[in-house]
Every structure is written in structure tokens, then in C-alpha cells.
Amino acid sequence: MSVYSITATDRAFLTMRRPPVAGFFLDFDGRAPSVDELARRVVRRSGSLPTLNRLLPAGSARYWPVRTGPVEPDVHVRHWPVPDATDTPDGDRALQDACEALLTRELPGPGHPPWDCWLLTRPSAGRFRMCFRVHHGLHDGVGAAHSALALLADTPVNGPRLYPGAGPGLRAGLRAMRETVAPVLRPGAPWNTMRRVAGPGGGVRWAHGDVPLARLRALADTHRASVNDIAVAALALALRSWSTELALPDAPSPARTLVAMSTRRPPERLRPGNHVAFHRLYLPVSAATLAASAAEVRRQTDAVRHSRRRDALRALLDLPGPLAPGVRGLRAVINPRLYPFVVSSVSFPDTFTCFGGRLGAASLFLNVGDDEQRFVYLSFTRTPDTVRCTVVTDAARAHTTALPRHWVRALS
């Protein structure tokens, strides 16, 4: 039986009491396939995708015996019919409820690889939604995107960008270690705006807002920044207007957040596990304009790029045996008391179609099931025409689901 090493990130997700679920809601324009058509494609292709054949390990050891399980149509491919908005007064709410239910629905159980694919359809033709879910111990967001593309795309397409390995140098490594532990030693002002406003329980809340990609590109050109810089800069403005609207305590300024950063190399495109690191970013909540916010965000992201933080953190996570970070150390750093707000981003290719349907919008999601490890999760997902801002949170922080609306307003 073959064995391979797993990271502290993998082990942290595998030891949670409730399985953490990552994946995508994918909205296509076109005729929905039948569930049988979808099942045939999924079962046929999954055999060549290593992550989608793996069973979870029995424990949390550093080394993972490779155990495989069958992919079965009735287990891994499901259909959820949703009423049209015109058929019932709560048609839109029905689609929302279905998506929120999928965030907490159990993944396929023992003996089956822990992932599935759901087809959400409405009676009227013209659009359909696909939901791809996977245990986060098996995949990070970029890995899940590559597996979803290999599983669903009509023709082979390139997925999100992958980053070849490079030596970071001693200075970059020391700087990355200092940046990682600094918030633990000096926590700073609390995020009172993200506090619970209700008791625990009550399920998961999901909300999103869309802005045309052309709008963000125009703003990126104007402010000499990247599209992602503009999305994050608008988030800083959204936090301020959101807390004002709800009469909440002001977010600390600048507001510390944690940004996911893929370390997945080209040979690791479909490899199981989490190939991801994080860097700290201070959101300029006090900025009066998008221009000022974008300038500050760009200053920080340029520093991350020039300091080779990605390579340094990859090298830290790749250290052998006892030198590598452990689960306790990881949880001390990626801590909702330090970072109640975590941000990810991913881009899908222009040529992605599924059964002839063109991808119109998508939403990267993550539901961390353990209450003591729960943070407010926000993602920016780019498709050919749209950037979608998504929030996933618990019922006790349902007030944060208004953030995408404020983000859209900040970019209008």
C-alpha cells in the first residue's frame, strides 16, 4: 500500500468534529443535462482524478495510506429540483435554501470518497446550477477548481493559475515566520463587528453579490492595480458602510484579515491535500475613497509578491517530519479570535462550458463545521463576465451576509 505525507492543514481539517466542506456553486446559461447524462460523465472521468477516488484516512498521522473507494452514480451524483420564482412566491428563497442546505448536508459516508456533485434545476429552461462539494481535508479551493473542471468541462481547459517552485532565500523565510507569529504575540484590537449577535446553532448562511468583470478591470486600469486588489479594496469600503448601516461598533482600522494564497505547483494540479498558505492583510477601513483603499491594498500585495512570501511559506510547510508546523501551531495562528475574517479568490477560464452551457457566475464556498474554529468566510470568484463576492457564515453572524451588497455598492 502506497503512503504519502499530509500537511498540518490537512490534519487540522481531518480532526474536526464536523467535516469541513469546500466547493463551488457554478451557474450555467443553457439547457440542463439530465441527471443520467451528468452521472455518466462524472463516473467515467472520476477514475482518472486521484483525489476523487480517495477515502479519508482513519487517523491524523503525518503519513496517509492511500485507500480507494468506488464512485457510484446514486451516491456521488444527485438532483435537486427547485421551483421557479414565477411558480411560487418564495421561488428565489427556495434556491437559496437549497444552497444553504448543501453547505451542511453530509458528504458520502464511510466506504465512499467524500465528495459529490449536485444538479440544481428549475422547470423553465435556460439556466442551471451545479454544486461540487468535497471534504476540505482532501482539497483546497484551487485544487477543487481543477478537479471540478476535469470532471465537468466539455473539453479540456486550463484551470486557475499554478505557481512553479522557487527558492525563497533565508531572509524571505525569516520574514515569513515573523509575519506568521506576530499576531499571536500582539493580537491588536478585537473585531467587535464580527461578534456573535445570537446563540450558537441554526445552520449556515450564504449570500453573494455580482459585479461585471469589465467594471473591475476598468477600475484596475484606472488605479494601476490588479482586479483582485480592487475587489479587496472595495471590501474595506463595504465593511465601513455595513457597520454604519447596522449601527455596529466600527471595525478596527486597519482591520486585520487572513488571505489564502495557493502554493500548488503545476505537477500538483490534481493532487490530494491542501497546498495553501496564508498572508496577513490590513484592510484600510478608514479610507475615504476607492482610490485610497486600492493604493494601500496594492502596497501590501506588492510587498507580499516582492518578498517571495509564497515561496517562503511553501518551504515552511514542506519542512520534513518534526520540523514542519503541527496542527496546534497552525490553529494558534489561523484562529478566529485573531482573524475572524478569511478571504480567498479563484478564477475560472473563459472557455469553460458544461453540456453546452456557458459559465456565467460561480461561488467558491467553505463551511468549517466546528463552532470553535468558525470564522466568517469571504471569496471572490472570477468567471468570463462576472466577479462574485460570496459570504459563508453561521446563523449567529447572519448580519455579515449584507456585506456582498455593500461590496457591490462600493464598486458601482
Side-chain angles (χ1 to χ4, degrees), residues 11 15 33 36 39 47 60 62 69 117 126 210 212 225 277 282 332 372 380 399:
R11 297 198 305 277
T15 54
D36 289 338
S60 58
R62 288 182 179 271
C117 188
D210 296 346
Y282 288 100
E372 65 270 21
F380 301 112
H399 58 303

Side-chain angles (χ1 to χ4, degrees), residues 72-127:
E72 299 179 6
D74 293 341
V75 173
H76 290 95
V77 182
R78 308 292 294 276
H79 180 214
W80 193 313
V82 180
D84 274 332
T86 55
D87 293 345
T88 60
D90 60 349
D92 286 332
R93 184 67 247 178
L95 182 59
Q96 181 82 8
D97 288 346
C99 292
E100 290 181 345
L102 286 172
L103 292 174
T104 56
R105 191 182 183 104
E106 290 187 3
L107 291 165
H112 294 94
W115 65 271
D116 57 20
C117 188
W118 287 77
L119 174 64
L120 290 84
T121 60
R122 286 181 154 173
S124 60
R127 295 180 68 86

Side-chain angles (χ1 to χ4, degrees), residues 173-198:
L174 293 174
R175 186 184 296 114
M177 292 180 65
R178 184 187 63 195
E179 287 289 313
T180 299
V181 302
V184 180
L185 303 176
R186 293 180 283 109
W191 273 73
N192 291 325
T193 48
M194 296 295 173
R195 72 188 191 281
R196 291 177 177 271
V197 297

Side-chain angles (χ1 to χ4, degrees), residues 217-241:
R217 281 181 170 157
L219 290 168
D221 290 342
T222 298
H223 300 300
R224 297 181 179 182
S226 70
V227 167
N228 207 52
D229 287 345
I230 295 298
V232 174
L235 176 60
L237 300 183
L239 277 168
R240 187 168 68 172
S241 63

